[in-house]
């Protein structure tokens, strides 16, 4: 009977752990869906307000699962998106918070969410101003984005952000190749709004890269 109780106890703990993980995944899925809508369907003050609300929701999610990378990654994503919607010097504190969350997530599990931590860090480092205003660093950005692609070579986000980064670096032909690959990325179930919005951004980046690559385009 003692051994039976012991085994039953282990099974109960396993079941509780699985339920806990499923709850986290469900909440992250809901947060991702809300972010998709806020980031890709709203503009101006409405977008900033929606993302500000999601930032608090993401913070609570990270607090509930402090030892998991996934909530921290999403908190970093939301904070960086809010910073982008806010703009100006007032956004610098938000991007620093986003970087800190992402760096903590990297320490916990760099491969979580198909290496999304590297996509997010890379995008921050090439879009944020450099010293003395911010922490932007093109060399770090490139290294992070290449890590993201090594973990998720066919993903729409790592290919889009790497392609956009290459445009900033003046590598237009390579950017075109990477961005075309981004358009071929497999659809993400439940992320149709994000995929549609990202495709719009990819096509705009492609046009920019093609225009820049033409002789005497400057």
């Amino acid at each position: 009977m003692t051994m039976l109780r012991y085994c039953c106890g282990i099974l109960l703990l396993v079941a509780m752990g699985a339920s806990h993980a499923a709850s986290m995944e469900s909440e992250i899925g809901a947060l991702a869906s809300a972010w998709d809508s806020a980031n890709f369907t709203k503009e101006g003050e409405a977008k900033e307000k929606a993302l500000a609300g999601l930032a608090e929701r993401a913070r609570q999610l990270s607090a509930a699962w402090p030892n998991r990378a996934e909530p921290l990654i999403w908190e970093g994503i939301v904070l960086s998106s809010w910073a982008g919607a806010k703009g100006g010097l007032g956004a610098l504190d938000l991007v620093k918070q986003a970087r800190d969350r992402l760096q903590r997530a990297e320490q916990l599990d760099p491969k979580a969410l198909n290496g999304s931590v590297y996509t997010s860090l890379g995008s921050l480092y090439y879009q944020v101003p450099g010293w003395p205003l911010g922490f932007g660093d093109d060399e770090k950005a490139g290294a992070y984005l290449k890590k993201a692609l090594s973990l998720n070579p066919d993903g729409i986000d790592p290919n889009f952000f790497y392609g956009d980064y290459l445009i900033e670096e003046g590598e237009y032909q390579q950017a075109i190749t990477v961005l075309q690959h981004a358009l071929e990325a497999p659809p993400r179930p439940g992320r149709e709004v994000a995929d549609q919005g990202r495709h719009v951004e990819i096509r705009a980046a492609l046009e920019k890269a093609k225009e820049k690559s033409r002789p005497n385009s400057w």
Side-chain angles (χ1 to χ4, degrees):
M1 288 295 292
T2 301
M3 179 59 70
L4 180 60
R5 290 195 191 97
Y6 177 73
C7 292
C8 289
I10 290 177
L11 290 173
L12 179 60
L13 288 172
V14 170
M16 289 174 62
S19 176
H20 193 61
S23 176
M24 183 195 72
E25 291 175 2
S26 176
E27 291 196 38
I28 286 177
L31 177 65
S33 180
W35 179 84
D36 291 348
S37 176
N39 195 58
F40 291 108
T41 70
K42 298 183 185 298
E43 296 181 359
E45 291 183 7
K47 180 175 182 177
E48 184 182 347
K49 184 178 179 180
L51 289 167
L54 286 179
E56 175 57 23
R57 183 172 166 184
R59 185 196 65 77
Q60 294 174 359
L61 190 59
S62 294
W65 283 276
N67 297 317
R68 293 296 298 265
E70 296 90 339
L72 284 167
I73 292 171
W74 267 105
E75 188 179 0
I77 291 170
V78 173
L79 285 168
S80 59
S81 301
W82 181 16
K86 188 179 184 67
L89 293 177
L92 288 176
D93 183 58
L94 292 176
V95 294
K96 289 176 182 177
Q97 291 180 47
R99 178 197 58 186
D100 292 345
R101 303 304 189 275
L102 293 165
Q103 288 176 336
R104 282 168 52 195
E106 182 186 11
Q107 292 173 353
L108 289 170
D109 184 2
K111 295 182 179 180
L113 301 177
N114 291 322
S116 292
V117 66
Y118 292 130
T119 304
S120 299
L121 279 170
S123 66
L124 276 181
Y125 272 98
Y126 83 83
Q127 294 183 76
V128 170
W131 189 87
L133 290 177
F135 56 84
D137 186 316
D138 287 349
E139 187 174 345
K140 284 185 177 181
Y144 278 128
L145 291 169
K146 287 174 183 177
K147 282 186 179 181
L149 282 171
S150 71
L151 291 169
N152 189 14
D154 298 321
I156 189 170
D157 284 342
N159 278 284
F160 165 66
F161 283 109
Y162 188 50
D164 193 52
Y165 162 80
L166 289 170
I167 293 174
E168 295 296 317
E169 293 295 293
E171 301 291 341
Y172 305 123
Q173 290 298 332
Q174 188 180 356
I176 290 169
T177 299
V178 172
L179 290 166
Q180 287 174 335
H181 189 55
L183 285 176
E184 299 167 357
R188 297 173 290 184
R191 302 292 307 281
E192 291 81 8
V193 171
D195 284 350
Q196 183 178 4
R198 194 65 85 203
H199 277 143
V200 172
E201 293 179 338
I202 294 167
R203 291 189 180 97
L206 261 174
E207 285 303 310
K208 182 178 180 180
K210 289 176 180 177
E211 177 65 26
K212 292 280 190 179
S213 68
R214 296 188 184 107
N216 301 322
S217 62
W218 47 271

